[in-house]
Amino acid sequence: MTLLKVNGSPVKKAYTGFLDDWFNEWTNFGKDDETVQWKTVPVNIHETKDAYHLELNAPGLKKEDLKINVEDNVLTISYEQKEETKSEDYKTVRREFKHYSFKRSFTLNDKIDSGIIQGKYEDGILKVHIPKKAEAQAVSKQIEIQ
């Protein structure tokens, strides 16, 4: 039984997915750098008996710019790249890294207590604690044989 459904996973990509990515990059060729580009960020999901723990790799971002939203049993984590101010006195000679906007969504089922989801950003990792409802937690006990 799946309790979390991951949308937009970079792990399972069909051959056509690679072609789609290539064509999407090609259609952005020559466009201004100000064009918003959505990227997929890697996520680790861990499960314990009472919760899921989601870790999203987002180094170099400010926690104020990250957004976590739950609506209609869909958990969405997003970051939108803010426009940089250009100055005549400060000119970039070489740029090798850039922060891209991203959005990841996860479908939650009715066994998740979405009212008390918590997020914490530290060391470039966004950690989201997704607790299970008390009745959804597996109960284990020894059955005596008579």
Side-chain angles (χ1 to χ4, degrees), residues 3-5 7 69-76 105-115 117 133:
L3 296 177
L4 280 175
K5 180 180 173 187
N7 298 329
N69 186 29
V70 177
E71 186 175 334
D72 296 330
N73 289 333
V74 176
L75 172 73
T76 303
S105 295
F106 306 90
T107 304
L108 307 174
N109 71 5
D110 58 350
K111 295 182 180 180
I112 300 294
D113 193 352
S114 62
I117 293 176
K133 291 181 181 175

Side-chain angles (χ1 to χ4, degrees), residues 4 43-56 75 77 106 112 117-118 125-132:
L4 280 175
V43 174
N44 294 333
I45 300 173
H46 308 283
E47 181 181 9
T48 61
K49 66 177 183 162
D50 58 346
Y52 286 96
H53 302 275
L54 187 141
E55 299 171 338
L56 186 131
L75 172 73
I77 302 169
F106 306 90
I112 300 294
I117 293 176
Q118 299 174 340
I125 305 290
L126 176 63
K127 298 178 180 181
V128 182
H129 178 76
I130 306 168
K132 297 177 184 176

Side-chain angles (χ1 to χ4, degrees), residues 63-119:
K63 71 177 181 178
E64 296 84 22
D65 296 336
L66 292 165
K67 302 217 179 332
I68 302 173
N69 186 29
V70 177
E71 186 175 334
D72 296 330
N73 289 333
V74 176
L75 172 73
T76 303
I77 302 169
S78 62
Y79 164 78
E80 190 167 339
Q81 174 188 8
K82 298 215 179 351
E83 188 174 321
E84 296 178 11
T85 57
K86 293 186 179 183
S87 171
E88 296 295 324
D89 298 336
Y90 186 78
K91 180 180 176 185
T92 302
V93 178
R94 182 181 182 116
R95 175 177 228 136
E96 292 190 356
F97 66 90
K98 184 177 181 180
H99 299 292
Y100 293 98
S101 299
F102 65 82
K103 182 185 262 186
R104 291 292 302 263
S105 295
F106 306 90
T107 304
L108 307 174
N109 71 5
D110 58 350
K111 295 182 180 180
I112 300 294
D113 193 352
S114 62
I116 54 175
I117 293 176
Q118 299 174 340

Side-chain angles (χ1 to χ4, degrees), residues 119-142:
K120 182 178 182 182
Y121 183 70
E122 62 182 3
D123 299 329
I125 305 290
L126 176 63
K127 298 178 180 181
V128 182
H129 178 76
I130 306 168
K132 297 177 184 176
K133 291 181 181 175
E135 63 268 10
Q137 297 175 15
V139 177
S140 176
K141 66 177 189 173
Q142 182 70 30

